[in-house]
Amino acid sequence: MIILGIETSCDETAAAIVEKKDNTISVLSSSIASSEELHKKSGGIIPEVAARKQVESIIPVIDDALSVADLKWNSIDAIAVTYGPGLIGSLLVGVETAKTLAYTLDKPIISVNHLHGHLFVNWLGDNKPELPAVGLVVSGGHTDFVKIDKNFEITYLGGTRDDAAGEAFDKSARLLGLSYPGGPAISKLAESYISTVIASEAKQSNEDGHSANRRIAMTKLDLFPRPMIDSNNLDMSFSGLKTSVLNYLKNNNVGVDPRLRGDDKVAYIAANIQEAIIDTLITKSMFAIKEYKPKSFILSGGVSANSRLRIKSKKVLQKMNEDLKFYVPQPQFSTDNAVMVATTAILKNNPIGWKNIYANPSLGIEE
Ligand code: KG4
Ligand code: ZN
């Protein structure tokens, strides 16, 4: 079975060809165009700009996916497309393109929920996460815990009450004068801060006052609060983080100035922002595992590209239960892509006619 996947829910235009053969799901091609550079100038996504860029990119991206896979249209069994949630203008470009292709080529369509795509990309290759699983989708718009039961049924368990974790990265990064998207920018600075501290400690085995201070700062990294971390549920809140960062900047005369990029102090603040978010996500993941006792834990969504989150959560969660299987996509399949759409379509395998698909910007995670 060979599927063409199309993803246009936000600022990425993506197409991919994925094949299922002998019970293994393989990627034949994955092509992505992003309007990220345009959004860097505005410091965030402007929906109208994103949609216009989708229109420009969609045909070249599909063409590229087919040519890299070295396939002709007659080899494609179905066209999978994200129908929600996302920005309506962006979603429509993918959905209408998929409909047109399905109609003219007489192929079935498989509609895919973007959030399911993030979760089910973990079934790539020979991976078959044992169910029931607990999944965490952590992206620019969502921070949701779900239970995945057999037949891939999804039940919402809890999540953020306000901003998503990715949004918290993006908004805090903006305060530090870092460019959009903020997650990778903060993560890069945080990693440099952490490795500098470790290197300096290793060098000074004869610990002096200075290195001791830095070690303490690194291990604690608790400049910013973790709201709701002790509540006995999966509720989270990230909207206060940007205010805490702003207050810290004001009180410490750091100033909000792009020229501070790369500065030690900014790297230290970035490491603290990252830690506040990661700590919250991991503490809540531990609660979910205690409460629901899943066989697998699935970390997914753009923020799951964060290397400290990947490493720390695997370590902490498997320490709680060494039989727990931990899954996270390769970083290029954590952020938006079309491989996740085609893979989900293979698992769902419910083709429909081109007349029966509509873009739904507010599609829920259980739908
Ligand atoms: O899933 P995604 O690509 O798009 C949505 O569906 O929202 O997620 C994008 C989010 C952005 O907020 C971005 O800052 C964040 O994922 N992100 C990261 C990293 N890479 C992307 N956050 C933290 N660390 C990263 N390495
Ligand atoms: Zn996404």
Side-chain angles (χ1 to χ4, degrees):
M1 184 187 218
I2 298 184
I3 304 279
L4 164 70
I6 298 175
E7 155 62 42
T8 67
S9 64
C10 191
D11 59 339
E12 257 92 31
T13 314
I17 315 271
V18 166
E19 179 179 34
K20 183 177 180 192
K21 204 162 115 190
D22 305 329
N23 241 354
T24 299
I25 303 179
S26 348
V27 180
L28 303 187
S29 67
S30 174
S31 180
I32 303 181
S34 172
S35 51
E36 198 177 287
E37 283 305 313
L38 289 175
H39 303 303
K40 273 195 168 99
K41 290 184 198 147
S42 49
I45 294 173
I46 299 174
E48 171 72 16
V49 174
R52 280 171 190 238
K53 199 70 193 164
Q54 295 282 5
V55 173
E56 261 175 49
S57 307
I58 187 76
I59 302 293
V61 160
I62 293 174
D63 199 39
D64 186 59
L66 275 169
S67 85
V68 172
D70 199 17
L71 290 177
K72 298 267 183 297
W73 281 110
N74 56 10
S75 323
I76 305 291
D77 295 303
I79 296 159
V81 63
T82 300
Y83 73 112
L87 303 170
I88 184 64
S90 290
L91 284 169
L92 279 171
V93 176
V95 169
E96 295 307 314
T97 305
K99 272 163 95 165
T100 310
L101 289 170
Y103 172 74
T104 49
L105 301 164
D106 196 21
K107 308 267 181 201
I109 282 202
I110 300 176
S111 57
V112 172
N113 181 323
H114 180 83
L115 304 169
H116 297 184
H118 276 307
L119 291 163
F120 292 131
V121 77
N122 282 289
W123 269 253
L124 260 187
D126 296 323
N127 281 349
K128 290 188 183 51
E130 258 192 284
L131 301 175
V134 161
L136 169 59
V137 184
V138 58
S139 69
H142 288 81
T143 308
D144 298 338
F145 281 100
V146 294
K147 187 151 175 263
I148 309 171
D149 286 301
K150 56 178 188 313
N151 302 331
F152 306 117
E153 233 173 64
I154 291 192
T155 313
Y156 176 76
L157 301 177
T160 184
R161 294 267 148 237
D162 41 55
D163 288 357
E167 201 176 348
F169 269 111
D170 295 338
K171 288 178 174 169
S172 309
R174 213 173 156 169
L175 293 174
L176 293 180
L178 304 171
S179 67
Y180 177 85
I186 289 197
S187 158
K188 200 168 153 210
L189 280 174
E191 288 307 314
S192 82
Y193 174 77
I194 292 166
S195 54
T196 309
V197 174
I198 292 169
S200 88
E201 272 188 50
K203 209 167 150 198
Q204 304 182 20
S205 42
N206 256 347
E207 198 173 57
D208 57 23
H210 178 67
S211 78
N213 272 341
R214 298 199 77 165
R215 176 171 54 76
I216 290 159
M218 195 213 58
T219 46
K220 282 168 75 191
L221 291 175
D222 59 358
L223 272 189
F224 304 118
R226 284 93 160 125
M228 304 181 111
I229 203 162
D230 295 323
S231 65
N232 254 351
N233 54 37
L234 293 171
D235 288 351
M236 288 171 275
S237 167
F238 293 104
S239 68
L241 184 60
K242 56 184 185 295
T243 318
S244 306
V245 174
L246 190 62
N247 288 339
Y248 181 87
L249 295 177
K250 278 186 189 151
N251 296 338
N252 290 276
N253 294 324
V254 180
V256 184
D257 185 337
R259 284 169 303 176
L260 287 169
R261 247 174 287 177
D263 179 72
D264 247 13
K265 187 80 180 168
V266 176
Y268 169 66
I269 300 167
N272 275 279
I273 293 168
Q274 175 175 278
E275 209 67 7
I277 297 172
I278 289 181
D279 237 13
T280 308
L281 294 172
I282 295 179
T283 307
K284 294 293 175 173
S285 302
M286 290 168 74
F287 179 84
I289 285 166
K290 229 187 287 161
E291 194 76 3
Y292 298 100
K293 303 180 179 47
K295 293 189 170 146
S296 318
F297 183 85
I298 290 169
L299 180 61
S300 66
V303 177
S304 73
N306 184 284
S307 61
R308 193 160 164 92
L309 174 65
R310 300 164 77 89
I311 294 165
K312 241 183 134 174
S313 46
K314 182 173 198 289
K315 202 161 136 191
V316 171
L317 300 182
Q318 288 190 326
K319 201 169 161 196
M320 272 179 81
N321 171 7
E322 57 188 30
D323 294 328
L324 181 79
K325 304 281 192 307
F326 180 91
Y327 294 88
V328 63
Q330 290 172 41
Q332 74 267 32
F333 300 135
S334 285
T335 47
D336 288 352
N337 65 86
V339 168
M340 67 189 213
V341 178
T343 304
T344 306
I346 286 175
L347 297 180
K348 276 177 74 176
N349 196 17
N350 57 344
I352 55 175
W354 65 269
K355 282 184 188 160
N356 301 322
I357 178 170
Y358 301 93
N360 181 354
S362 50
L363 187 69
I365 201 163
E366 293 185 333
E367 295 175 76

